[in-house]
Amino acid sequence: MSRSEFDIIKNFFANCPAAFPSEHVKLGIGDDAAQFTLPHSSVELRFNVSMDTLAADVHFPADANPGLIANRALAVNLSDLAAMGATPLGFTLGLTLPRSDDLWLQQFADGLTALATKHHCPLVGGNLSRGPLHIAVQVHGSTQGEGIQRNGAAVGDIVVVSGVLGDAVAALASFALPTHLDTLLEFDLGSLNDEDRTYLQRAYYDPEPRVELGQACAGRVSAGIDVSDGLLADLGHICAASGVGAVLELQRLPISSVLNKMLATKKAQLAALLGGDDYELCFTLAPDRLAEAQAIAAELGVPLTQVGVIEQGSGVRCTGEDGETVAIPRSAYQHFHQE
Ligand code: ADP
Ligand code: MG
Protein backbone atom coordinates (compact mmCIF):
# COMPACT_ATOMS: atom_id res chain seq x y z
CA MET A 1 0.00 0.00 0.00
CA SER A 2 1.28 3.43 -0.90
CA ARG A 3 0.25 6.30 1.38
CA SER A 4 -0.02 10.05 0.95
CA GLU A 5 2.42 12.15 2.99
CA PHE A 6 -0.37 13.24 5.35
CA ASP A 7 -1.37 9.62 5.80
CA ILE A 8 2.22 8.69 6.67
CA ILE A 9 2.36 11.42 9.32
CA LYS A 10 -1.06 10.43 10.73
CA ASN A 11 -0.31 6.71 10.87
CA PHE A 12 3.27 6.64 12.02
CA PHE A 13 4.11 9.91 13.73
CA ALA A 14 0.95 11.64 14.97
CA ASN A 15 0.73 9.43 18.07
CA CYS A 16 4.36 9.70 18.98
CA PRO A 17 3.88 12.86 21.08
CA ALA A 18 0.93 11.27 22.88
CA ALA A 19 3.34 8.89 24.54
CA PHE A 20 5.17 11.84 26.06
CA PRO A 21 2.54 14.35 27.12
CA SER A 22 4.09 17.67 27.97
CA GLU A 23 2.39 20.61 29.63
CA HIS A 24 4.67 22.84 27.61
CA VAL A 25 3.67 21.62 24.14
CA LYS A 26 0.70 23.86 23.36
CA LEU A 27 0.48 22.93 19.67
CA GLY A 28 1.95 19.75 18.17
CA ILE A 29 1.81 18.13 14.74
CA GLY A 30 -0.67 19.60 12.27
CA ASP A 31 -0.04 23.33 11.95
CA ASP A 32 2.64 25.46 10.30
CA ALA A 33 4.80 25.27 13.44
CA ALA A 34 4.72 23.62 16.85
CA GLN A 35 4.41 25.83 19.94
CA PHE A 36 5.86 25.50 23.42
CA THR A 37 5.56 27.57 26.52
CA LEU A 38 8.78 27.74 28.43
CA PRO A 39 9.11 26.54 32.01
CA HIS A 40 9.02 29.44 34.50
CA SER A 41 8.00 31.89 31.80
CA SER A 42 5.64 34.44 33.34
CA VAL A 43 3.90 35.76 30.19
CA GLU A 44 2.27 33.44 27.69
CA LEU A 45 5.14 33.73 25.30
CA ARG A 46 5.32 30.67 23.05
CA PHE A 47 8.35 29.19 21.36
CA ASN A 48 7.51 28.15 17.76
CA VAL A 49 9.45 25.50 15.84
CA SER A 50 9.13 24.46 12.22
CA MET A 51 11.27 22.52 9.76
CA ASP A 52 11.31 22.13 5.99
CA THR A 53 13.77 20.12 3.98
CA LEU A 54 14.93 20.52 0.39
CA ALA A 55 16.33 17.62 -1.60
CA ALA A 56 18.35 18.01 -4.80
CA ASP A 57 16.40 17.06 -7.92
CA VAL A 58 13.14 17.05 -5.94
CA HIS A 59 12.90 20.68 -4.83
CA PHE A 60 15.58 22.17 -7.06
CA PRO A 61 17.91 20.99 -9.84
CA ALA A 62 21.18 19.79 -8.25
CA ASP A 63 23.17 22.27 -10.39
CA ALA A 64 21.03 25.30 -9.43
CA ASN A 65 22.73 28.46 -8.18
CA PRO A 66 23.79 27.75 -4.53
CA GLY A 67 22.79 31.23 -3.34
CA LEU A 68 19.31 30.71 -4.69
CA ILE A 69 19.00 27.25 -3.13
CA ALA A 70 20.03 28.68 0.25
CA ASN A 71 17.61 31.52 -0.12
CA ARG A 72 14.73 29.22 -0.89
CA ALA A 73 15.60 26.82 1.95
CA LEU A 74 15.40 29.61 4.52
CA ALA A 75 12.51 31.47 2.88
CA VAL A 76 10.12 28.50 2.95
CA ASN A 77 10.86 28.02 6.63
CA LEU A 78 10.40 31.69 7.48
CA SER A 79 7.11 31.45 5.64
CA ASP A 80 5.88 28.90 8.18
CA LEU A 81 6.81 31.28 11.00
CA ALA A 82 5.00 34.04 9.10
CA ALA A 83 1.90 31.85 8.93
CA MET A 84 2.00 31.52 12.72
CA GLY A 85 2.39 35.27 13.17
CA ALA A 86 5.71 34.51 14.86
CA THR A 87 8.80 36.67 15.32
CA PRO A 88 11.89 34.80 14.04
CA LEU A 89 14.56 34.08 16.68
CA GLY A 90 17.08 31.96 14.80
CA PHE A 91 17.54 28.82 12.70
CA THR A 92 19.60 25.65 12.50
CA LEU A 93 20.93 24.08 9.30
CA GLY A 94 21.42 20.39 8.53
CA LEU A 95 23.51 20.27 5.38
CA THR A 96 24.44 17.11 3.49
CA LEU A 97 26.96 17.70 0.70
CA PRO A 98 28.42 15.36 -1.91
CA ARG A 99 31.77 17.20 -1.70
CA SER A 100 33.36 20.28 -0.16
CA ASP A 101 33.50 23.00 -2.82
CA ASP A 102 34.57 26.43 -1.58
CA LEU A 103 32.90 28.42 -4.33
CA TRP A 104 29.61 26.56 -3.89
CA LEU A 105 29.76 26.95 -0.11
CA GLN A 106 30.57 30.67 -0.30
CA GLN A 107 27.65 31.36 -2.62
CA PHE A 108 25.36 29.23 -0.46
CA ALA A 109 26.47 31.04 2.71
CA ASP A 110 26.04 34.45 1.07
CA GLY A 111 22.47 33.61 0.02
CA LEU A 112 21.68 32.38 3.51
CA THR A 113 23.23 35.39 5.22
CA ALA A 114 21.39 37.92 3.08
CA LEU A 115 17.93 36.57 3.94
CA ALA A 116 18.81 35.79 7.57
CA THR A 117 19.99 39.38 8.02
CA LYS A 118 16.86 40.80 6.44
CA HIS A 119 14.64 38.91 8.87
CA HIS A 120 16.91 39.17 11.96
CA CYS A 121 17.04 35.38 12.07
CA PRO A 122 20.64 34.21 12.71
CA LEU A 123 22.05 30.75 12.07
CA VAL A 124 22.65 29.28 15.53
CA GLY A 125 23.78 25.71 14.84
CA GLY A 126 23.29 22.66 12.69
CA ASN A 127 24.95 19.58 11.35
CA LEU A 128 27.14 18.77 8.37
CA SER A 129 27.60 15.42 6.64
CA ARG A 130 28.57 13.90 3.31
CA GLY A 131 25.98 12.42 0.96
CA PRO A 132 23.55 13.45 -1.77
CA LEU A 133 22.84 17.21 -1.59
CA HIS A 134 20.13 17.81 0.98
CA ILE A 135 19.26 20.87 3.06
CA ALA A 136 17.23 20.80 6.26
CA VAL A 137 16.40 24.09 7.95
CA GLN A 138 14.65 24.41 11.28
CA VAL A 139 13.41 27.84 12.29
CA HIS A 140 12.57 29.06 15.77
CA GLY A 141 10.28 31.95 16.57
CA SER A 142 8.08 33.39 19.28
CA THR A 143 4.42 34.34 19.49
CA GLN A 144 2.41 36.13 22.13
CA GLY A 145 -0.06 33.40 23.02
CA GLU A 146 -1.49 31.44 20.13
CA GLY A 147 -0.31 33.64 17.29
CA ILE A 148 -2.19 32.46 14.21
CA GLN A 149 -3.35 28.85 14.00
CA ARG A 150 -5.32 26.87 11.43
CA ASN A 151 -8.28 26.04 13.61
CA GLY A 152 -10.08 29.35 14.19
CA ALA A 153 -12.02 29.95 10.95
CA ALA A 154 -15.72 30.64 11.54
CA VAL A 155 -18.72 30.60 9.19
CA GLY A 156 -19.08 34.04 7.58
CA ASP A 157 -15.36 34.85 7.79
CA ILE A 158 -13.69 36.28 4.71
CA VAL A 159 -10.77 34.47 3.06
CA VAL A 160 -7.87 36.68 1.96
CA VAL A 161 -4.56 35.88 0.35
CA SER A 162 -1.37 37.95 0.03
CA GLY A 163 0.57 38.55 -3.19
CA VAL A 164 -0.11 36.59 -6.36
CA LEU A 165 -0.51 32.83 -6.83
CA GLY A 166 0.63 30.31 -9.43
CA ASP A 167 3.98 31.82 -10.45
CA ALA A 168 6.14 29.15 -8.79
CA VAL A 169 4.69 26.28 -10.80
CA ALA A 170 4.95 28.41 -13.94
CA ALA A 171 8.60 29.00 -13.02
CA LEU A 172 9.28 25.26 -12.97
CA ALA A 173 7.78 25.02 -16.44
CA SER A 174 9.96 27.95 -17.55
CA PHE A 175 13.05 26.03 -16.31
CA ALA A 176 11.88 23.19 -18.62
CA LEU A 177 11.27 21.00 -15.54
CA PRO A 178 8.27 18.70 -15.22
CA THR A 179 5.44 19.92 -12.94
CA HIS A 180 2.58 18.04 -11.31
CA LEU A 181 0.17 20.07 -13.48
CA ASP A 182 1.64 19.08 -16.86
CA THR A 183 -1.31 16.88 -17.79
CA LEU A 184 -3.69 19.74 -16.96
CA LEU A 185 -1.91 22.82 -18.26
CA GLU A 186 0.26 23.64 -21.21
CA PHE A 187 2.39 26.66 -20.38
CA ASP A 188 3.12 28.90 -23.37
CA LEU A 189 6.86 29.40 -22.92
CA GLY A 190 7.20 31.19 -26.26
CA SER A 191 5.39 34.21 -24.79
CA LEU A 192 8.16 34.86 -22.22
CA ASN A 193 10.84 37.51 -22.59
CA ASP A 194 14.04 37.69 -20.49
CA GLU A 195 12.39 39.94 -17.93
CA ASP A 196 9.53 37.46 -17.47
CA ARG A 197 11.99 34.60 -17.00
CA THR A 198 13.90 36.56 -14.36
CA TYR A 199 10.61 37.37 -12.63
CA LEU A 200 9.66 33.66 -12.55
CA GLN A 201 13.09 32.61 -11.34
CA ARG A 202 12.69 35.00 -8.40
CA ALA A 203 9.18 33.76 -7.70
CA TYR A 204 10.50 30.23 -7.31
CA TYR A 205 13.86 30.73 -5.58
CA ASP A 206 13.27 33.98 -3.80
CA PRO A 207 9.72 33.94 -2.46
CA GLU A 208 9.12 36.79 -0.03
CA PRO A 209 8.27 35.26 3.35
CA ARG A 210 5.46 37.48 4.66
CA VAL A 211 6.91 37.64 8.16
CA GLU A 212 5.87 41.22 8.95
CA LEU A 213 2.38 40.70 7.60
CA GLY A 214 1.95 37.57 9.72
CA GLN A 215 3.17 39.31 12.86
CA ALA A 216 0.93 42.31 12.27
CA CYS A 217 -2.13 40.14 11.63
CA ALA A 218 -1.72 37.96 14.74
CA GLY A 219 -4.66 38.58 17.06
CA ARG A 220 -6.67 40.11 14.22
CA VAL A 221 -7.35 37.12 11.97
CA SER A 222 -9.20 33.94 12.91
CA ALA A 223 -6.95 31.43 11.10
CA GLY A 224 -3.97 31.36 8.76
CA ILE A 225 -1.64 29.15 6.74
CA ASP A 226 1.09 29.68 4.20
CA VAL A 227 0.40 28.52 0.67
CA SER A 228 2.91 25.73 0.08
CA ASP A 229 0.73 23.02 -1.47
CA GLY A 230 -1.60 25.29 -3.48
CA LEU A 231 -4.43 27.51 -2.19
CA LEU A 232 -7.07 24.84 -2.64
CA ALA A 233 -5.20 22.30 -0.53
CA ASP A 234 -3.96 24.79 2.06
CA LEU A 235 -7.32 26.48 2.58
CA GLY A 236 -8.59 22.90 2.84
CA HIS A 237 -6.23 22.41 5.81
CA ILE A 238 -7.74 25.48 7.51
CA CYS A 239 -11.25 24.13 6.84
CA ALA A 240 -10.41 20.67 8.18
CA ALA A 241 -8.79 22.10 11.32
CA SER A 242 -11.69 24.55 11.89
CA GLY A 243 -14.58 22.20 11.04
CA VAL A 244 -15.94 24.47 8.30
CA GLY A 245 -16.11 24.69 4.51
CA ALA A 246 -15.07 27.50 2.16
CA VAL A 247 -16.03 28.90 -1.20
CA LEU A 248 -13.42 30.50 -3.46
CA GLU A 249 -14.44 32.87 -6.24
CA LEU A 250 -12.15 31.98 -9.13
CA GLN A 251 -12.25 35.38 -10.82
CA ARG A 252 -10.91 36.98 -7.63
CA LEU A 253 -7.69 34.91 -7.52
CA PRO A 254 -4.66 37.22 -7.74
CA ILE A 255 -2.67 36.29 -10.86
CA SER A 256 0.45 37.99 -12.23
CA SER A 257 0.63 39.47 -15.72
CA VAL A 258 3.39 36.95 -16.55
CA LEU A 259 1.18 33.98 -15.64
CA ASN A 260 -1.64 35.54 -17.63
CA LYS A 261 0.66 35.60 -20.65
CA MET A 262 1.52 31.92 -20.26
CA LEU A 263 -1.98 30.53 -19.72
CA ALA A 264 -5.54 31.40 -20.70
CA THR A 265 -7.64 32.76 -17.81
CA LYS A 266 -9.24 29.51 -16.63
CA LYS A 267 -5.95 27.62 -16.77
CA ALA A 268 -4.14 30.43 -14.94
CA GLN A 269 -6.80 30.11 -12.21
CA LEU A 270 -6.02 26.38 -11.98
CA ALA A 271 -2.30 27.15 -11.64
CA ALA A 272 -3.15 29.60 -8.83
CA LEU A 273 -5.33 27.03 -7.06
CA LEU A 274 -3.21 23.94 -7.50
CA GLY A 275 0.31 25.16 -8.15
CA GLY A 276 1.87 25.43 -4.69
CA ASP A 277 5.26 26.79 -3.61
CA ASP A 278 3.85 30.33 -3.61
CA TYR A 279 4.61 30.99 0.06
CA GLU A 280 1.96 33.63 0.30
CA LEU A 281 -0.27 33.80 3.39
CA CYS A 282 -3.92 32.84 3.43
CA PHE A 283 -5.99 34.20 6.32
CA THR A 284 -9.59 34.01 7.38
CA LEU A 285 -11.02 36.94 9.30
CA ALA A 286 -14.30 38.40 10.49
CA PRO A 287 -15.76 40.81 7.89
CA ASP A 288 -15.43 43.77 10.27
CA ARG A 289 -11.67 43.15 10.42
CA LEU A 290 -11.13 43.33 6.67
CA ALA A 291 -10.48 47.07 6.37
CA GLU A 292 -7.94 46.91 9.20
CA ALA A 293 -6.09 43.96 7.60
CA GLN A 294 -6.07 45.72 4.24
CA ALA A 295 -4.64 48.86 5.82
CA ILE A 296 -1.87 46.81 7.48
CA ALA A 297 -1.04 45.08 4.19
CA ALA A 298 -1.06 48.39 2.30
CA GLU A 299 1.29 49.87 4.87
CA LEU A 300 3.68 46.95 4.26
CA GLY A 301 3.26 47.23 0.49
CA VAL A 302 1.79 43.73 0.22
CA PRO A 303 -1.29 43.13 -1.93
CA LEU A 304 -4.06 41.43 0.06
CA THR A 305 -6.97 40.08 -1.97
CA GLN A 306 -10.35 38.90 -0.79
CA VAL A 307 -10.85 35.55 -2.54
CA GLY A 308 -13.68 33.78 -0.74
CA VAL A 309 -15.84 33.15 2.28
CA ILE A 310 -16.04 30.51 5.00
CA GLU A 311 -19.29 28.57 4.95
CA GLN A 312 -20.86 25.67 6.77
CA GLY A 313 -19.88 22.17 5.75
CA SER A 314 -16.48 20.81 4.80
CA GLY A 315 -13.93 21.18 2.02
CA VAL A 316 -13.33 23.98 -0.43
CA ARG A 317 -15.53 24.60 -3.46
CA CYS A 318 -14.95 27.09 -6.25
CA THR A 319 -17.39 29.25 -8.12
CA GLY A 320 -17.16 30.86 -11.56
CA GLU A 321 -18.36 34.29 -12.66
CA ASP A 322 -22.01 33.16 -12.71
CA GLY A 323 -21.74 32.04 -9.08
CA GLU A 324 -22.15 28.38 -10.05
CA THR A 325 -19.85 25.77 -8.51
CA VAL A 326 -17.03 24.76 -10.87
CA ALA A 327 -15.48 21.27 -10.66
CA ILE A 328 -11.73 21.44 -10.06
CA PRO A 329 -9.43 18.48 -10.71
CA ARG A 330 -7.80 17.39 -7.44
CA SER A 331 -4.18 17.74 -8.20
CA ALA A 332 -2.25 19.36 -5.33
CA TYR A 333 1.43 18.49 -5.18
CA GLN A 334 2.13 15.48 -2.97
CA HIS A 335 5.49 13.82 -2.42
CA PHE A 336 3.82 10.46 -1.98
CA HIS A 337 0.69 9.59 -3.88
CA GLN A 338 -2.03 7.40 -2.47
CA GLU A 339 -2.71 4.41 -4.73
P1 ADP B 1 4.02 22.79 6.01
O1 ADP B 1 3.54 22.63 4.59
O2 ADP B 1 3.37 23.91 6.75
O3 ADP B 1 5.54 22.84 6.09
P2 ADP B 1 3.61 19.98 6.20
O4 ADP B 1 2.52 19.80 5.22
O5 ADP B 1 5.02 19.66 5.77
O6 ADP B 1 3.56 21.47 6.77
O7 ADP B 1 3.31 19.11 7.48
C1 ADP B 1 2.04 19.10 8.09
C2 ADP B 1 2.21 18.86 9.59
O8 ADP B 1 2.81 17.58 9.82
C3 ADP B 1 3.11 19.88 10.28
O9 ADP B 1 2.56 20.17 11.55
C4 ADP B 1 4.44 19.15 10.41
O10 ADP B 1 5.19 19.60 11.52
C5 ADP B 1 4.00 17.72 10.59
N1 ADP B 1 5.02 16.76 10.07
C6 ADP B 1 5.52 16.66 8.82
N2 ADP B 1 6.41 15.66 8.70
C7 ADP B 1 6.49 15.08 9.93
C8 ADP B 1 7.25 13.99 10.50
N3 ADP B 1 8.10 13.29 9.78
N4 ADP B 1 7.06 13.72 11.81
C9 ADP B 1 6.20 14.44 12.55
N5 ADP B 1 5.45 15.45 12.11
C10 ADP B 1 5.58 15.77 10.81
MG1 MG C 1 3.11 25.83 6.13
Side-chain angles (χ1 to χ4, degrees):
M1 176 185 178
S2 177
R3 300 172 181 273
S4 76
E5 58 196 272
F6 299 110
D7 209 37
I8 293 174
I9 296 165
K10 187 162 154 257
N11 276 281
F12 298 102
F13 300 116
N15 287 325
C16 183
F20 308 97
S22 159
E23 58 175 306
H24 295 295
V25 178
K26 296 295 178 193
L27 185 67
I29 293 173
D31 215 302
D32 291 295
Q35 295 183 332
F36 303 78
T37 51
L38 303 178
H40 314 302
S41 165
S42 56
V43 287
E44 232 228 325
L45 195 62
R46 294 190 184 184
F47 185 64
N48 288 242
V49 180
S50 182
M51 156 174 249
D52 263 316
T53 57
L54 265 66
D57 294 325
V58 177
H59 298 97
F60 59 87
D63 61 355
N65 178 311
L68 293 178
I69 301 170
N71 195 87
R72 184 162 193 267
L74 182 56
V76 302
N77 275 276
L78 286 169
S79 176
D80 277 321
L81 286 185
M84 301 301 295
T87 303
L89 295 171
F91 72 102
T92 48
L93 169 69
L95 189 58
T96 306
L97 292 173
R99 72 195 75 81
S100 153
D101 171 339
D102 277 4
L103 179 62
W104 192 97
L105 282 163
Q106 192 58 58
Q107 290 177 348
F108 184 85
D110 288 348
L112 213 52
T113 304
L115 191 64
T117 306
K118 183 171 173 191
H119 291 283
H120 308 285
C121 187
L123 176 62
V124 294
N127 187 241
L128 199 58
S129 62
R130 185 192 287 263
L133 179 57
H134 187 270
I135 300 145
V137 170
Q138 185 171 46
V139 278
H140 315 280
S142 63
T143 49
Q144 289 285 345
E146 292 182 356
I148 303 169
Q149 300 185 0
R150 297 180 180 181
N151 62 4
V155 174
D157 281 357
I158 288 169
V159 181
V160 295
V161 69
S162 66
V164 290
L165 300 174
D167 286 339
V169 70
L172 285 180
S174 79
F175 307 153
L177 291 173
T179 82
H180 66 289
L181 298 182
D182 284 345
T183 51
L184 218 55
L185 308 175
E186 225 169 283
F187 293 94
D188 174 10
L189 301 179
S191 64
L192 298 176
N193 58 34
D194 287 351
E195 206 180 309
D196 298 334
R197 286 182 182 273
T198 306
Y199 168 85
L200 290 172
Q201 165 137 340
R202 283 203 59 166
Y204 188 77
Y205 283 111
D206 195 13
E208 181 70 48
R210 304 295 191 188
V211 175
E212 288 178 314
L213 181 67
Q215 280 175 248
C217 286
R220 298 183 154 101
V221 297
S222 54
I225 192 167
D226 67 321
V227 182
S228 54
D229 298 338
L231 181 64
L232 194 66
D234 288 313
L235 180 57
H237 294 319
I238 287 186
C239 288
S242 303
V244 294
V247 54
L248 282 174
E249 291 176 59
L250 292 175
Q251 74 276 11
R252 287 181 179 264
L253 293 175
I255 289 168
S256 72
S257 57
V258 174
L259 187 59
N260 268 324
K261 266 180 153 178
M262 297 172 80
L263 293 171
T265 306
K266 290 203 168 126
K267 302 240 157 161
Q269 290 169 347
L270 285 182
L273 279 178
L274 305 171
D277 281 334
D278 299 305
Y279 300 103
E280 292 297 344
L281 296 183
C282 171
F283 295 130
T284 63
L285 71 180
D288 62 2
R289 293 282 203 171
L290 182 62
E292 180 187 32
Q294 274 167 336
I296 290 169
E299 178 80 12
L300 294 170
V302 181
L304 193 71
T305 311
Q306 183 178 341
V307 290
V309 176
I310 296 297
E311 59 182 17
Q312 280 182 345
S314 63
V316 183
R317 65 188 183 92
C318 298
T319 56
E321 266 170 81
D322 54 7
E324 294 293 314
T325 299
V326 177
I328 305 291
R330 297 281 139 169
S331 191
Y333 184 79
Q334 288 256 318
H335 284 279
F336 302 97
H337 287 278
Q338 211 153 5
E339 282 159 12

